[in-house]
Amino acid sequence: MTISIKDLCTGLEAGTAEVLQRATPATAELLRWWFGRAPVQARAGLNFSPAQRRALLGVIVAHELGIGRAPPPGALTVPLRAGEGRVRVLLALLSWQLLNQHDAQASGVDDPRFTRHLMVVAPHPATHERLLVALCGQPLPGGHGARDFGASDWVRMAELLLPPHRRDTVWRLVCASVCSGTRIASHAADEGVIAITGGRLDALECLARWPQLMVLDDDSGVRPARARGFSPCAWRAQLHRMLATREGHGLHVVLAGR
């Protein structure tokens, strides 16, 4: 019998959805926080839109439960147009991966579905900077690259993204892991990395060394100049070839829209 994502998620507001029983405890906790009736009502206007909800549930159910997923190395394509809150979805997906990996590691479990090796692809410079602000905050005057994490979207949207007792865990991981540009290659990845790239060759070389990975790819339709000889299309084709060798130990999510 084939079960659909809609069937699995019916009853999320009331806490009776089947997905809550099938998912990991960390994922179930996040789903209750994001979509449960009481938290949603308490947050008033700070909630996920229907399009954002569909995007999140589609990726989580497909990857974690294996329902509706394209066979490797196919990417999970999320139809989310510009202006529909891609950054909010991206931060929620990062929270999902980071919390699950943290809990699995704390329990001594090696769960290949979850990783702390994460890469966000933003080929357009304006999108690249927007993501840095979302993850790390605004640059500090005279800070030589330092940023004000208190001004990041992680903190501004804390009430939506994470239950209170989970925030410090995720924020600590994020502050220790985010890097971009030429710093990606030199970042110590043993304890985790969240790399923001425009689609550089050296970023692909780093991905090839990571045993498990998740790539979040902002395909806005804007076509910037080539990065070190790679067009965005060529970069993604190379990424697909690399994921094909991972036997499913990788996730490529494309936020697509025009």
Side-chain angles (χ1 to χ4, degrees):
M1 177 180 177
T2 302
I3 188 168
S4 69
I5 294 176
K6 181 179 179 181
D7 292 336
L8 278 173
C9 298
T10 297
L12 264 180
E13 293 79 3
T16 60
E18 185 175 349
V19 68
L20 298 174
Q21 306 304 316
R22 292 199 185 192
T24 66
T27 298
E29 180 182 16
L30 285 175
L31 292 178
R32 289 187 178 97
W33 182 256
W34 292 343
F35 306 121
R37 185 173 293 114
V40 167
Q41 291 176 346
R43 286 191 299 263
L46 183 62
N47 285 299
F48 292 107
S49 70
Q52 292 164 352
R53 174 185 167 119
R54 286 193 298 273
L56 288 170
L57 293 176
V59 172
I60 289 171
V61 171
H63 182 65
E64 188 168 327
L65 304 184
I67 295 173
R69 180 176 184 178
L76 286 170
T77 300
V78 177
L80 206 60
R81 295 189 300 271
E84 287 188 327
R86 295 185 184 191
V87 169
R88 190 175 290 190
V89 170
L90 183 146
L91 294 180
L93 289 174
L94 290 176
S95 299
W96 162 62
Q97 279 287 311
L98 290 170
L99 276 184
N100 271 288
Q101 200 281 333
H102 172 271
D103 286 5
Q105 187 177 48
S107 301
V109 175
D110 181 16
D111 191 331
R113 296 173 298 177
F114 307 110
T115 181
R116 283 181 59 190
H117 295 104
L118 306 146
M119 183 166 285
V120 183
V121 184
H124 195 275
T127 306
H128 188 276
E129 175 59 25
R130 172 69 184 96
L131 289 172
L132 281 173
V133 171
L135 270 69
C136 305
Q138 295 287 348
L140 291 170
H144 305 287
R147 290 175 177 264
D148 178 11
F149 186 72
S152 70
D153 286 21
W154 286 110
V155 176
R156 292 194 310 104
M157 293 192 293
E159 286 297 322
L160 171 63
L161 294 170
L162 293 160
H165 68 285
R166 291 294 215 164
R167 291 169 194 166
D168 284 346
T169 297
V170 171
W171 292 351
R172 185 169 57 250
L173 294 172
V174 170
C175 289
S177 303
V178 174
C179 58
S180 65
T182 57
R183 295 181 181 179
I184 295 174
S186 60
H187 188 89
D190 291 345
E191 296 301 318
V193 59
I194 303 173
I196 304 174
T197 179
R200 295 168 56 95
L201 176 59
D202 50 0
L204 270 178
E205 292 168 348
C206 290
L207 283 174
R209 297 195 298 269
W210 297 347
Q212 298 163 351
L213 59 99
M214 174 181 179
V215 180
L216 289 164
D217 193 345
D218 188 324
D219 183 12
S220 62
V222 179
R223 296 291 175 243
R226 292 169 177 259
R228 289 189 60 182
F230 271 66
S231 70
C233 289
W235 198 91
R236 291 183 180 110
Q238 183 69 14
L239 173 63
H240 289 168
R241 286 192 289 270
M242 184 185 66
L243 287 174
T245 69
R246 298 302 183 92
E247 298 180 350
H249 291 182
L251 172 61
H252 182 199
V253 177
V254 180
L255 304 179
R258 299 294 184 268

